[in-house]
Amino acid sequence: KLGNETVKAELGRATWKYFHTVMARYPETPTEDQQEALRSYIYLFARLYPCGECASHFQQHLSKYPPQVSSRNAAAGWACFIHNEVNAMLDKPEFDCANLGDFYDCGCNGDEEGGEG
Ligand code: FAD
């Protein structure tokens, strides 16, 4: 059981890092197509997340707080908010979303072709 908890936490940390980095690289002014891509991605991510209990919780959060995809700021702010919802559920401290800043730099500045950003 302890082993499972450790693995679940490692998966969570790796996933959050990736998830917030996707948002940090999302375009500041996305096209309709890019907005639809992010929205679909988030719903599929929630559905396919490889911890069934987590996926089911996250889908409930999503139905309460639908993804915000109108801009990078909106998407990054939404992701921070929803991660805080998970933090609250798990009795973890709230993260100050004003500190998102350079926290999720992918190290790919200058790589203009990377991802959607
Ligand atoms: P994490 O929550 O993994 O965060 C990693 C780092 O991100 C933190 O150290 C901090 O630097 C930063 N951070 C923290 N909050 C924010 C924020 N709001 N915005 C941006 N950055 C932030 N675990 C369960 O036991 N039950 C579940 O139902 C569950 N559901 C999950 C659903 C999803 C979609 C994901 C990705 C993970 C889920 N987890 C769940 C795992 C859980 O969220 C944590 O990842 C895990 O418990 C490890 O926590 P941690 O304290 O190391 O920090």
Side-chain angles (χ1 to χ4, degrees):
K1 183 73 183 151
L2 181 62
N4 285 340
E5 290 303 315
T6 304
V7 171
K8 184 158 68 170
E10 276 179 8
L11 175 68
R13 278 189 289 274
T15 302
W16 285 124
K17 173 86 178 176
Y18 167 69
F19 196 69
H20 293 298
T21 304
V22 168
M23 305 308 165
R25 291 279 291 175
Y26 185 63
E28 284 171 25
T29 54
T31 63
E32 283 293 325
D33 181 59
Q34 288 169 323
Q35 295 183 48
E36 195 41 47
L38 183 61
R39 195 192 330 275
S40 305
Y41 167 72
I42 291 167
Y43 282 109
L44 290 171
F45 162 88
R47 187 170 148 191
L48 296 171
Y49 190 71
C51 152
E53 167 209 8
C54 310
S56 142
H57 288 146
F58 199 66
Q59 284 174 292
Q60 287 167 33
H61 292 308
L62 271 189
S63 64
K64 248 172 114 177
Y65 307 107
Q68 305 292 306
V69 299
S70 61
S71 69
R72 175 183 298 171
N73 268 347
W78 171 85
C80 187
F81 174 85
I82 204 117
H83 187 170
N84 273 334
E85 288 293 301
V86 177
N87 288 342
M89 178 185 79
L90 299 174
D91 285 320
K92 288 177 191 286
E94 182 176 341
F95 183 90
D96 182 355
C97 295
N99 291 342
L100 275 178
D102 294 330
F103 212 81
Y104 294 102
D105 184 352
C106 60
C108 32
N109 279 348
D111 161 23
E112 297 303 328
E113 304 298 316
E116 293 282 351

PDB file of all heavy atoms in Angstrom, residues 5 8-9 12-13 15-16 20 45 49 53-54 57-58 79-80 83-84 86-87 89-90 92 95 97 100 103-104, ligand 1:
ATOM      1  N   GLU A   5       1.203   4.228  -2.856  1.00  0.00           N
ATOM      2  CA  GLU A   5       1.078   5.664  -2.585  1.00  0.00           C
ATOM      3  C   GLU A   5       2.282   6.424  -3.132  1.00  0.00           C
ATOM      4  O   GLU A   5       2.151   7.517  -3.661  1.00  0.00           O
ATOM      5  CB  GLU A   5       0.905   5.918  -1.075  1.00  0.00           C
ATOM      6  CG  GLU A   5      -0.437   5.461  -0.510  1.00  0.00           C
ATOM      7  CD  GLU A   5      -1.651   6.079  -1.207  1.00  0.00           C
ATOM      8  OE1 GLU A   5      -1.660   7.295  -1.446  1.00  0.00           O
ATOM      9  OE2 GLU A   5      -2.596   5.328  -1.524  1.00  0.00           O
ATOM     10  N   LYS A   8       1.998   6.596  -6.887  1.00  0.00           N
ATOM     11  CA  LYS A   8       0.926   7.525  -7.260  1.00  0.00           C
ATOM     12  C   LYS A   8       1.393   8.982  -7.110  1.00  0.00           C
ATOM     13  O   LYS A   8       1.086   9.829  -7.951  1.00  0.00           O
ATOM     14  CB  LYS A   8      -0.304   7.239  -6.381  1.00  0.00           C
ATOM     15  CG  LYS A   8      -1.515   8.065  -6.726  1.00  0.00           C
ATOM     16  CD  LYS A   8      -2.816   7.437  -6.250  1.00  0.00           C
ATOM     17  CE  LYS A   8      -2.946   7.423  -4.746  1.00  0.00           C
ATOM     18  NZ  LYS A   8      -4.300   7.042  -4.297  1.00  0.00           N
ATOM     19  N   ALA A   9       2.146   9.244  -6.036  1.00  0.00           N
ATOM     20  CA  ALA A   9       2.657  10.605  -5.804  1.00  0.00           C
ATOM     21  C   ALA A   9       3.693  10.986  -6.866  1.00  0.00           C
ATOM     22  O   ALA A   9       3.699  12.116  -7.366  1.00  0.00           O
ATOM     23  CB  ALA A   9       3.256  10.709  -4.405  1.00  0.00           C
ATOM     24  N   GLY A  12       1.960  11.720  -9.989  1.00  0.00           N
ATOM     25  CA  GLY A  12       1.291  13.010  -9.848  1.00  0.00           C
ATOM     26  C   GLY A  12       2.260  14.167 -10.055  1.00  0.00           C
ATOM     27  O   GLY A  12       1.971  15.088 -10.822  1.00  0.00           O
ATOM     28  N   ARG A  13       3.412  14.119  -9.406  1.00  0.00           N
ATOM     29  CA  ARG A  13       4.391  15.206  -9.533  1.00  0.00           C
ATOM     30  C   ARG A  13       4.863  15.364 -10.968  1.00  0.00           C
ATOM     31  O   ARG A  13       4.957  16.481 -11.483  1.00  0.00           O
ATOM     32  CB  ARG A  13       5.598  14.950  -8.624  1.00  0.00           C
ATOM     33  CG  ARG A  13       5.359  15.380  -7.187  1.00  0.00           C
ATOM     34  CD  ARG A  13       6.644  15.320  -6.362  1.00  0.00           C
ATOM     35  NE  ARG A  13       7.061  13.947  -6.109  1.00  0.00           N
ATOM     36  CZ  ARG A  13       6.619  13.216  -5.083  1.00  0.00           C
ATOM     37  NH1 ARG A  13       5.786  13.724  -4.207  1.00  0.00           N
ATOM     38  NH2 ARG A  13       7.034  11.969  -4.929  1.00  0.00           N
ATOM     39  N   THR A  15       3.314  14.418 -13.645  1.00  0.00           N
ATOM     40  CA  THR A  15       2.195  14.844 -14.493  1.00  0.00           C
ATOM     41  C   THR A  15       1.896  16.326 -14.315  1.00  0.00           C
ATOM     42  O   THR A  15       1.690  17.044 -15.302  1.00  0.00           O
ATOM     43  CB  THR A  15       0.938  14.016 -14.174  1.00  0.00           C
ATOM     44  OG1 THR A  15       1.237  12.639 -14.371  1.00  0.00           O
ATOM     45  CG2 THR A  15      -0.222  14.424 -15.063  1.00  0.00           C
ATOM     46  N   TRP A  16       1.883  16.784 -13.069  1.00  0.00           N
ATOM     47  CA  TRP A  16       1.611  18.215 -12.845  1.00  0.00           C
ATOM     48  C   TRP A  16       2.669  19.068 -13.510  1.00  0.00           C
ATOM     49  O   TRP A  16       2.369  20.099 -14.103  1.00  0.00           O
ATOM     50  CB  TRP A  16       1.521  18.526 -11.347  1.00  0.00           C
ATOM     51  CG  TRP A  16       0.263  18.069 -10.674  1.00  0.00           C
ATOM     52  CD1 TRP A  16       0.163  17.243  -9.582  1.00  0.00           C
ATOM     53  CD2 TRP A  16      -1.102  18.417 -11.007  1.00  0.00           C
ATOM     54  NE1 TRP A  16      -1.156  17.058  -9.240  1.00  0.00           N
ATOM     55  CE2 TRP A  16      -1.955  17.764 -10.088  1.00  0.00           C
ATOM     56  CE3 TRP A  16      -1.670  19.227 -12.003  1.00  0.00           C
ATOM     57  CZ2 TRP A  16      -3.352  17.902 -10.135  1.00  0.00           C
ATOM     58  CZ3 TRP A  16      -3.057  19.347 -12.045  1.00  0.00           C
ATOM     59  CH2 TRP A  16      -3.864  18.693 -11.125  1.00  0.00           C
ATOM     60  N   HIS A  20       1.397  21.748 -16.253  1.00  0.00           N
ATOM     61  CA  HIS A  20       1.584  23.201 -16.128  1.00  0.00           C
ATOM     62  C   HIS A  20       2.536  23.730 -17.200  1.00  0.00           C
ATOM     63  O   HIS A  20       2.401  24.883 -17.627  1.00  0.00           O
ATOM     64  CB  HIS A  20       2.104  23.564 -14.730  1.00  0.00           C
ATOM     65  CG  HIS A  20       1.112  23.295 -13.631  1.00  0.00           C
ATOM     66  ND1 HIS A  20      -0.111  23.921 -13.563  1.00  0.00           N
ATOM     67  CD2 HIS A  20       1.144  22.454 -12.568  1.00  0.00           C
ATOM     68  CE1 HIS A  20      -0.779  23.475 -12.495  1.00  0.00           C
ATOM     69  NE2 HIS A  20      -0.039  22.584 -11.879  1.00  0.00           N
ATOM     70  N   PHE A  45      -7.096  13.843 -21.337  1.00  0.00           N
ATOM     71  CA  PHE A  45      -6.125  13.683 -20.254  1.00  0.00           C
ATOM     72  C   PHE A  45      -6.848  13.186 -18.989  1.00  0.00           C
ATOM     73  O   PHE A  45      -6.403  12.227 -18.338  1.00  0.00           O
ATOM     74  CB  PHE A  45      -5.444  15.039 -20.011  1.00  0.00           C
ATOM     75  CG  PHE A  45      -4.743  15.184 -18.692  1.00  0.00           C
ATOM     76  CD1 PHE A  45      -3.417  14.800 -18.553  1.00  0.00           C
ATOM     77  CD2 PHE A  45      -5.399  15.734 -17.593  1.00  0.00           C
ATOM     78  CE1 PHE A  45      -2.763  14.947 -17.324  1.00  0.00           C
ATOM     79  CE2 PHE A  45      -4.753  15.881 -16.369  1.00  0.00           C
ATOM     80  CZ  PHE A  45      -3.436  15.484 -16.240  1.00  0.00           C
ATOM     81  N   TYR A  49      -6.051   9.460 -17.540  1.00  0.00           N
ATOM     82  CA  TYR A  49      -5.049   9.528 -16.473  1.00  0.00           C
ATOM     83  C   TYR A  49      -4.921   8.152 -15.807  1.00  0.00           C
ATOM     84  O   TYR A  49      -5.920   7.569 -15.370  1.00  0.00           O
ATOM     85  CB  TYR A  49      -5.425  10.593 -15.435  1.00  0.00           C
ATOM     86  CG  TYR A  49      -4.305  10.859 -14.463  1.00  0.00           C
ATOM     87  CD1 TYR A  49      -3.159  11.533 -14.882  1.00  0.00           C
ATOM     88  CD2 TYR A  49      -4.356  10.398 -13.148  1.00  0.00           C
ATOM     89  CE1 TYR A  49      -2.113  11.752 -14.005  1.00  0.00           C
ATOM     90  CE2 TYR A  49      -3.306  10.621 -12.264  1.00  0.00           C
ATOM     91  CZ  TYR A  49      -2.194  11.296 -12.707  1.00  0.00           C
ATOM     92  OH  TYR A  49      -1.148  11.514 -11.833  1.00  0.00           O
ATOM     93  N   GLU A  53      -8.858   6.214  -9.653  1.00  0.00           N
ATOM     94  CA  GLU A  53      -9.458   7.025  -8.594  1.00  0.00           C
ATOM     95  C   GLU A  53      -9.201   8.513  -8.888  1.00  0.00           C
ATOM     96  O   GLU A  53     -10.103   9.348  -8.782  1.00  0.00           O
ATOM     97  CB  GLU A  53      -8.809   6.585  -7.264  1.00  0.00           C
ATOM     98  CG  GLU A  53      -9.038   7.475  -6.085  1.00  0.00           C
ATOM     99  CD  GLU A  53      -7.880   7.418  -5.069  1.00  0.00           C
ATOM    100  OE1 GLU A  53      -6.814   6.799  -5.357  1.00  0.00           O
ATOM    101  OE2 GLU A  53      -8.032   8.013  -4.003  1.00  0.00           O
ATOM    102  N   CYS A  54      -7.951   8.825  -9.285  1.00  0.00           N
ATOM    103  CA  CYS A  54      -7.584  10.220  -9.576  1.00  0.00           C
ATOM    104  C   CYS A  54      -8.364  10.727 -10.779  1.00  0.00           C
ATOM    105  O   CYS A  54      -8.873  11.854 -10.780  1.00  0.00           O
ATOM    106  CB  CYS A  54      -6.091  10.344  -9.885  1.00  0.00           C
ATOM    107  SG  CYS A  54      -5.016   9.545  -8.675  1.00  0.00           S
ATOM    108  N   HIS A  57     -11.905  11.527  -9.795  1.00  0.00           N
ATOM    109  CA  HIS A  57     -11.968  12.795  -9.055  1.00  0.00           C
ATOM    110  C   HIS A  57     -11.786  13.983 -10.000  1.00  0.00           C
ATOM    111  O   HIS A  57     -12.493  14.975  -9.919  1.00  0.00           O
ATOM    112  CB  HIS A  57     -10.854  12.871  -7.985  1.00  0.00           C
ATOM    113  CG  HIS A  57     -11.090  11.971  -6.818  1.00  0.00           C
ATOM    114  ND1 HIS A  57     -10.054  11.350  -6.144  1.00  0.00           N
ATOM    115  CD2 HIS A  57     -12.224  11.599  -6.190  1.00  0.00           C
ATOM    116  CE1 HIS A  57     -10.559  10.631  -5.155  1.00  0.00           C
ATOM    117  NE2 HIS A  57     -11.873  10.756  -5.167  1.00  0.00           N
ATOM    118  N   PHE A  58     -10.771  13.850 -10.869  1.00  0.00           N
ATOM    119  CA  PHE A  58     -10.427  14.985 -11.728  1.00  0.00           C
ATOM    120  C   PHE A  58     -11.568  15.297 -12.695  1.00  0.00           C
ATOM    121  O   PHE A  58     -11.851  16.466 -12.968  1.00  0.00           O
ATOM    122  CB  PHE A  58      -9.127  14.709 -12.483  1.00  0.00           C
ATOM    123  CG  PHE A  58      -8.469  15.945 -13.028  1.00  0.00           C
ATOM    124  CD1 PHE A  58      -7.948  16.907 -12.180  1.00  0.00           C
ATOM    125  CD2 PHE A  58      -8.384  16.154 -14.397  1.00  0.00           C
ATOM    126  CE1 PHE A  58      -7.342  18.061 -12.676  1.00  0.00           C
ATOM    127  CE2 PHE A  58      -7.780  17.303 -14.907  1.00  0.00           C
ATOM    128  CZ  PHE A  58      -7.261  18.257 -14.045  1.00  0.00           C
ATOM    129  N   ALA A  79      -5.389  26.012 -14.713  1.00  0.00           N
ATOM    130  CA  ALA A  79      -4.667  24.793 -14.311  1.00  0.00           C
ATOM    131  C   ALA A  79      -4.170  24.921 -12.876  1.00  0.00           C
ATOM    132  O   ALA A  79      -4.221  23.955 -12.100  1.00  0.00           O
ATOM    133  CB  ALA A  79      -3.500  24.529 -15.262  1.00  0.00           C
ATOM    134  N   CYS A  80      -3.703  26.112 -12.521  1.00  0.00           N
ATOM    135  CA  CYS A  80      -3.244  26.343 -11.144  1.00  0.00           C
ATOM    136  C   CYS A  80      -4.421  26.192 -10.186  1.00  0.00           C
ATOM    137  O   CYS A  80      -4.305  25.553  -9.133  1.00  0.00           O
ATOM    138  CB  CYS A  80      -2.627  27.740 -11.038  1.00  0.00           C
ATOM    139  SG  CYS A  80      -1.849  28.021  -9.437  1.00  0.00           S
ATOM    140  N   HIS A  83      -5.436  22.481  -9.877  1.00  0.00           N
ATOM    141  CA  HIS A  83      -4.439  21.761  -9.081  1.00  0.00           C
ATOM    142  C   HIS A  83      -4.670  22.094  -7.598  1.00  0.00           C
ATOM    143  O   HIS A  83      -4.579  21.215  -6.731  1.00  0.00           O
ATOM    144  CB  HIS A  83      -3.027  22.151  -9.541  1.00  0.00           C
ATOM    145  CG  HIS A  83      -1.910  21.362  -8.917  1.00  0.00           C
ATOM    146  ND1 HIS A  83      -0.618  21.455  -9.384  1.00  0.00           N
ATOM    147  CD2 HIS A  83      -1.879  20.503  -7.868  1.00  0.00           C
ATOM    148  CE1 HIS A  83       0.153  20.658  -8.637  1.00  0.00           C
ATOM    149  NE2 HIS A  83      -0.572  20.079  -7.710  1.00  0.00           N
ATOM    150  N   ASN A  84      -5.019  23.347  -7.311  1.00  0.00           N
ATOM    151  CA  ASN A  84      -5.319  23.717  -5.920  1.00  0.00           C
ATOM    152  C   ASN A  84      -6.561  22.999  -5.398  1.00  0.00           C
ATOM    153  O   ASN A  84      -6.646  22.702  -4.200  1.00  0.00           O
ATOM    154  CB  ASN A  84      -5.481  25.233  -5.780  1.00  0.00           C
ATOM    155  CG  ASN A  84      -4.155  25.928  -5.526  1.00  0.00           C
ATOM    156  OD1 ASN A  84      -3.216  25.328  -4.984  1.00  0.00           O
ATOM    157  ND2 ASN A  84      -4.056  27.199  -5.915  1.00  0.00           N
ATOM    158  N   VAL A  86      -7.329  19.953  -6.203  1.00  0.00           N
ATOM    159  CA  VAL A  86      -6.807  18.623  -5.844  1.00  0.00           C
ATOM    160  C   VAL A  86      -6.013  18.731  -4.539  1.00  0.00           C
ATOM    161  O   VAL A  86      -6.151  17.895  -3.639  1.00  0.00           O
ATOM    162  CB  VAL A  86      -5.954  18.029  -6.988  1.00  0.00           C
ATOM    163  CG1 VAL A  86      -5.347  16.691  -6.585  1.00  0.00           C
ATOM    164  CG2 VAL A  86      -6.796  17.869  -8.260  1.00  0.00           C
ATOM    165  N   ASN A  87      -5.201  19.791  -4.419  1.00  0.00           N
ATOM    166  CA  ASN A  87      -4.442  20.003  -3.173  1.00  0.00           C
ATOM    167  C   ASN A  87      -5.393  20.049  -1.970  1.00  0.00           C
ATOM    168  O   ASN A  87      -5.124  19.427  -0.931  1.00  0.00           O
ATOM    169  CB  ASN A  87      -3.662  21.321  -3.232  1.00  0.00           C
ATOM    170  CG  ASN A  87      -2.476  21.279  -4.179  1.00  0.00           C
ATOM    171  OD1 ASN A  87      -2.010  20.211  -4.563  1.00  0.00           O
ATOM    172  ND2 ASN A  87      -1.974  22.448  -4.577  1.00  0.00           N
ATOM    173  N   MET A  89      -8.402  18.827  -1.686  1.00  0.00           N
ATOM    174  CA  MET A  89      -9.003  17.509  -1.458  1.00  0.00           C
ATOM    175  C   MET A  89      -8.045  16.610  -0.683  1.00  0.00           C
ATOM    176  O   MET A  89      -8.465  15.799   0.131  1.00  0.00           O
ATOM    177  CB  MET A  89      -9.345  16.898  -2.817  1.00  0.00           C
ATOM    178  CG  MET A  89      -9.936  15.505  -2.780  1.00  0.00           C
ATOM    179  SD  MET A  89     -10.153  14.848  -4.454  1.00  0.00           S
ATOM    180  CE  MET A  89      -8.471  14.329  -4.829  1.00  0.00           C
ATOM    181  N   LEU A  90      -6.725  16.778  -0.942  1.00  0.00           N
ATOM    182  CA  LEU A  90      -5.708  15.921  -0.316  1.00  0.00           C
ATOM    183  C   LEU A  90      -5.108  16.576   0.931  1.00  0.00           C
ATOM    184  O   LEU A  90      -4.102  16.094   1.459  1.00  0.00           O
ATOM    185  CB  LEU A  90      -4.597  15.598  -1.327  1.00  0.00           C
ATOM    186  CG  LEU A  90      -5.041  14.835  -2.592  1.00  0.00           C
ATOM    187  CD1 LEU A  90      -3.880  14.713  -3.569  1.00  0.00           C
ATOM    188  CD2 LEU A  90      -5.584  13.457  -2.233  1.00  0.00           C
ATOM    189  N   LYS A  92      -3.457  19.337   1.158  1.00  0.00           N
ATOM    190  CA  LYS A  92      -2.140  19.931   0.882  1.00  0.00           C
ATOM    191  C   LYS A  92      -2.288  21.446   0.859  1.00  0.00           C
ATOM    192  O   LYS A  92      -3.379  21.957   0.597  1.00  0.00           O
ATOM    193  CB  LYS A  92      -1.625  19.456  -0.485  1.00  0.00           C
ATOM    194  CG  LYS A  92      -1.188  18.004  -0.494  1.00  0.00           C
ATOM    195  CD  LYS A  92      -0.760  17.585  -1.886  1.00  0.00           C
ATOM    196  CE  LYS A  92      -0.579  16.089  -1.987  1.00  0.00           C
ATOM    197  NZ  LYS A  92       0.656  15.632  -1.317  1.00  0.00           N
ATOM    198  N   PHE A  95      -1.251  26.539  -3.385  1.00  0.00           N
ATOM    199  CA  PHE A  95      -0.138  27.164  -4.113  1.00  0.00           C
ATOM    200  C   PHE A  95      -0.590  28.558  -4.529  1.00  0.00           C
ATOM    201  O   PHE A  95      -1.716  28.737  -4.993  1.00  0.00           O
ATOM    202  CB  PHE A  95       0.180  26.308  -5.343  1.00  0.00           C
ATOM    203  CG  PHE A  95       1.349  26.773  -6.175  1.00  0.00           C
ATOM    204  CD1 PHE A  95       2.641  26.316  -5.919  1.00  0.00           C
ATOM    205  CD2 PHE A  95       1.151  27.636  -7.247  1.00  0.00           C
ATOM    206  CE1 PHE A  95       3.719  26.719  -6.702  1.00  0.00           C
ATOM    207  CE2 PHE A  95       2.231  28.044  -8.039  1.00  0.00           C
ATOM    208  CZ  PHE A  95       3.504  27.585  -7.764  1.00  0.00           C
ATOM    209  N   CYS A  97      -0.951  31.201  -6.992  1.00  0.00           N
ATOM    210  CA  CYS A  97      -0.890  31.219  -8.465  1.00  0.00           C
ATOM    211  C   CYS A  97      -0.192  32.470  -9.006  1.00  0.00           C
ATOM    212  O   CYS A  97       0.174  32.509 -10.183  1.00  0.00           O
ATOM    213  CB  CYS A  97      -2.285  31.058  -9.051  1.00  0.00           C
ATOM    214  SG  CYS A  97      -3.006  29.437  -8.674  1.00  0.00           S
ATOM    215  N   LEU A 100       3.291  31.571 -10.398  1.00  0.00           N
ATOM    216  CA  LEU A 100       3.475  30.653 -11.530  1.00  0.00           C
ATOM    217  C   LEU A 100       4.679  31.075 -12.369  1.00  0.00           C
ATOM    218  O   LEU A 100       5.508  30.259 -12.742  1.00  0.00           O
ATOM    219  CB  LEU A 100       2.225  30.633 -12.420  1.00  0.00           C
ATOM    220  CG  LEU A 100       1.101  29.689 -12.024  1.00  0.00           C
ATOM    221  CD1 LEU A 100      -0.063  29.849 -12.987  1.00  0.00           C
ATOM    222  CD2 LEU A 100       1.574  28.251 -11.972  1.00  0.00           C
ATOM    223  N   PHE A 103       8.139  29.417 -13.139  1.00  0.00           N
ATOM    224  CA  PHE A 103       8.182  28.127 -12.457  1.00  0.00           C
ATOM    225  C   PHE A 103       8.122  26.979 -13.458  1.00  0.00           C
ATOM    226  O   PHE A 103       8.713  25.921 -13.252  1.00  0.00           O
ATOM    227  CB  PHE A 103       6.990  28.053 -11.503  1.00  0.00           C
ATOM    228  CG  PHE A 103       7.218  27.256 -10.261  1.00  0.00           C
ATOM    229  CD1 PHE A 103       7.886  27.823  -9.184  1.00  0.00           C
ATOM    230  CD2 PHE A 103       6.771  25.954 -10.160  1.00  0.00           C
ATOM    231  CE1 PHE A 103       8.100  27.091  -8.019  1.00  0.00           C
ATOM    232  CE2 PHE A 103       6.981  25.218  -9.001  1.00  0.00           C
ATOM    233  CZ  PHE A 103       7.646  25.789  -7.934  1.00  0.00           C
ATOM    234  N   TYR A 104       7.402  27.181 -14.542  1.00  0.00           N
ATOM    235  CA  TYR A 104       7.202  26.102 -15.515  1.00  0.00           C
ATOM    236  C   TYR A 104       7.832  26.404 -16.868  1.00  0.00           C
ATOM    237  O   TYR A 104       7.242  26.224 -17.913  1.00  0.00           O
ATOM    238  CB  TYR A 104       5.710  25.764 -15.626  1.00  0.00           C
ATOM    239  CG  TYR A 104       5.201  25.179 -14.335  1.00  0.00           C
ATOM    240  CD1 TYR A 104       4.473  25.939 -13.436  1.00  0.00           C
ATOM    241  CD2 TYR A 104       5.509  23.866 -13.992  1.00  0.00           C
ATOM    242  CE1 TYR A 104       4.042  25.394 -12.224  1.00  0.00           C
ATOM    243  CE2 TYR A 104       5.093  23.322 -12.782  1.00  0.00           C
ATOM    244  CZ  TYR A 104       4.355  24.092 -11.912  1.00  0.00           C
ATOM    245  OH  TYR A 104       3.947  23.552 -10.725  1.00  0.00           O
TER     246      TYR A 104
HETATM  247  P1  FAD B   1       2.078  17.949  -6.276  1.00  0.00           P
HETATM  248  O1  FAD B   1       0.636  18.252  -5.982  1.00  0.00           O
HETATM  249  O2  FAD B   1       2.376  16.760  -7.120  1.00  0.00           O
HETATM  250  O3  FAD B   1       2.727  19.234  -6.930  1.00  0.00           O
HETATM  251  C1  FAD B   1       4.062  19.233  -7.427  1.00  0.00           C
HETATM  252  C2  FAD B   1       4.629  20.609  -7.299  1.00  0.00           C
HETATM  253  O4  FAD B   1       3.844  21.507  -8.082  1.00  0.00           O
HETATM  254  C3  FAD B   1       4.558  21.188  -5.901  1.00  0.00           C
HETATM  255  O5  FAD B   1       5.659  20.780  -5.141  1.00  0.00           O
HETATM  256  C4  FAD B   1       4.550  22.668  -6.159  1.00  0.00           C
HETATM  257  O6  FAD B   1       5.859  23.134  -6.419  1.00  0.00           O
HETATM  258  C5  FAD B   1       3.777  22.781  -7.444  1.00  0.00           C
HETATM  259  N1  FAD B   1       2.367  23.114  -7.241  1.00  0.00           N
HETATM  260  C6  FAD B   1       1.567  22.772  -6.194  1.00  0.00           C
HETATM  261  N2  FAD B   1       0.332  23.262  -6.379  1.00  0.00           N
HETATM  262  C7  FAD B   1       0.347  23.914  -7.557  1.00  0.00           C
HETATM  263  C8  FAD B   1      -0.640  24.630  -8.289  1.00  0.00           C
HETATM  264  N3  FAD B   1      -1.883  24.786  -7.838  1.00  0.00           N
HETATM  265  N4  FAD B   1      -0.294  25.171  -9.483  1.00  0.00           N
HETATM  266  C9  FAD B   1       0.956  25.027  -9.935  1.00  0.00           C
HETATM  267  N5  FAD B   1       1.934  24.376  -9.300  1.00  0.00           N
HETATM  268  C10 FAD B   1       1.632  23.813  -8.116  1.00  0.00           C
HETATM  269  N6  FAD B   1      -3.475  11.786  -5.551  1.00  0.00           N
HETATM  270  C11 FAD B   1      -4.343  11.139  -4.735  1.00  0.00           C
HETATM  271  O7  FAD B   1      -3.917  10.606  -3.727  1.00  0.00           O
HETATM  272  N7  FAD B   1      -5.687  11.103  -5.009  1.00  0.00           N
HETATM  273  C12 FAD B   1      -6.213  11.681  -6.137  1.00  0.00           C
HETATM  274  O8  FAD B   1      -7.427  11.613  -6.392  1.00  0.00           O
HETATM  275  C13 FAD B   1      -5.311  12.352  -7.025  1.00  0.00           C
HETATM  276  N8  FAD B   1      -5.763  12.923  -8.177  1.00  0.00           N
HETATM  277  C14 FAD B   1      -4.864  13.450  -9.047  1.00  0.00           C
HETATM  278  C15 FAD B   1      -5.328  13.957 -10.275  1.00  0.00           C
HETATM  279  C16 FAD B   1      -4.427  14.443 -11.215  1.00  0.00           C
HETATM  280  C17 FAD B   1      -4.933  14.936 -12.536  1.00  0.00           C
HETATM  281  C18 FAD B   1      -3.040  14.482 -10.917  1.00  0.00           C
HETATM  282  C19 FAD B   1      -2.071  15.014 -11.942  1.00  0.00           C
HETATM  283  C20 FAD B   1      -2.585  14.006  -9.705  1.00  0.00           C
HETATM  284  C21 FAD B   1      -3.474  13.486  -8.759  1.00  0.00           C
HETATM  285  N9  FAD B   1      -3.029  12.992  -7.535  1.00  0.00           N
HETATM  286  C22 FAD B   1      -3.924  12.378  -6.690  1.00  0.00           C
HETATM  287  C23 FAD B   1      -1.621  13.137  -7.120  1.00  0.00           C
HETATM  288  C24 FAD B   1      -1.445  14.388  -6.255  1.00  0.00           C
HETATM  289  O9  FAD B   1      -2.074  15.532  -6.876  1.00  0.00           O
HETATM  290  C25 FAD B   1       0.027  14.763  -6.061  1.00  0.00           C
HETATM  291  O10 FAD B   1       0.683  14.851  -7.319  1.00  0.00           O
HETATM  292  C26 FAD B   1       0.801  13.796  -5.184  1.00  0.00           C
HETATM  293  O11 FAD B   1       0.108  13.591  -3.983  1.00  0.00           O
HETATM  294  C27 FAD B   1       2.206  14.356  -4.856  1.00  0.00           C
HETATM  295  O12 FAD B   1       2.013  15.597  -4.183  1.00  0.00           O
HETATM  296  P2  FAD B   1       3.135  16.666  -3.886  1.00  0.00           P
HETATM  297  O13 FAD B   1       2.860  17.195  -2.520  1.00  0.00           O
HETATM  298  O14 FAD B   1       4.491  16.133  -4.157  1.00  0.00           O
HETATM  299  O15 FAD B   1       2.884  17.893  -4.894  1.00  0.00           O
END
